[in-house]
Amino acid sequence: MRYFVRVALGALLGLLAVGALAFFGVRWWIGAVAGALLAAVGFLGSFFLWSADRPEEGYEQVLFDLPNNVVSVALVVVLVGLAFGAPHLLHKGSAAPVDPAIADMNAQHDALTKVYNDLVAAKLDRAGVDAAKASVAAAKLDLGNLTASDNSKTLLAAANGEGPALDAYVGCGYKACQAVQLSLIDVKAALNKYVPG
């Protein structure tokens, strides 16, 4: 078998894997791994399926031959690059613009989750509690101005639960005591119920 046919076989197998996975929206690094492996297996495997170019040297030339190694590395590099770029080319402009209200709710969810995590870990001092209360108040105000939805109601419930939890935290001497833990049960449920947009 001609050498260029072996290279073409490896490249074709790798391209098929990268193209198919990119088309179906699979993460780029999975396509890179699959494409690189198939390209290398297709190229080097052709030596084992069809006779080697230099039969007198046996199959040691396959894995220890510098040209074969250079071609294998080149195939891997090219296919990793294609796997990284293909999703951007195939799905360019296909994503709908993010609704500002959804982006706003996602940001408030992140802010409320941070307050929750800081309370559970007892990371807040007096200044931290003041900042957390301001963050919760801002979230409540912001969410109150949005059109009512299941997500906004869920986040409002979480914000309303974090206020008493912060007060209990201060009352316990800036510790995550049992009163804080009890206050956060409903908060955790609400934060987990939120469905990011």
Side-chain angles (χ1 to χ4, degrees):
M1 174 183 282
R2 296 288 183 90
Y3 195 81
F4 77 87
V5 176
R6 299 181 192 279
V7 176
L9 178 64
L12 180 63
L13 288 173
L15 286 172
L16 285 174
V18 167
L21 292 173
F23 179 77
F24 290 111
V26 177
R27 294 175 185 247
W28 76 267
W29 62 268
I30 296 175
V33 170
L37 282 175
L38 278 175
V41 167
F43 170 64
L44 295 174
S46 69
F47 288 97
F48 294 94
L49 294 176
W50 292 281
S51 63
D53 294 330
R54 300 190 299 272
E56 68 280 356
E57 296 180 23
Y59 289 102
E60 291 178 3
Q61 68 168 294
V62 175
L63 299 177
F64 301 107
D65 198 40
L66 182 60
N68 290 349
N69 292 335
V70 170
V71 169
S72 297
V73 170
L75 282 171
V76 167
V77 169
V78 168
L79 287 163
V80 168
L82 286 173
F84 179 75
H88 302 294
L89 295 174
L90 287 174
H91 303 290
K92 185 178 181 180
S94 61
V98 178
D99 184 343
I102 292 174
D104 199 14
M105 282 191 286
N106 288 342
Q108 295 304 341
H109 178 263
D110 291 344
L112 293 172
T113 300
K114 182 182 184 314
V115 172
Y116 170 83
N117 289 336
D118 288 346
L119 279 171
V120 170
K123 287 183 176 180
L124 301 173
D125 55 9
R126 179 177 295 179
V129 169
D130 291 342
K133 284 184 175 181
S135 178
V136 170
K140 288 167 75 171
L141 180 64
D142 193 33
L143 292 165
N145 291 330
L146 295 175
T147 303
S149 67
D150 288 342
N151 269 342
S152 66
K153 290 176 186 175
T154 297
L155 291 178
L156 270 174
N160 288 332
E162 284 185 352
L166 285 164
D167 292 337
Y169 181 80
V170 172
C172 290
Y174 298 94
K175 294 178 182 175
C177 62
Q178 187 175 7
V180 175
Q181 299 294 338
L182 290 173
S183 298
L184 289 176
I185 291 173
D186 291 337
V187 173
K188 181 180 181 181
L191 290 173
N192 288 340
K193 187 179 175 184
Y194 178 76
V195 180

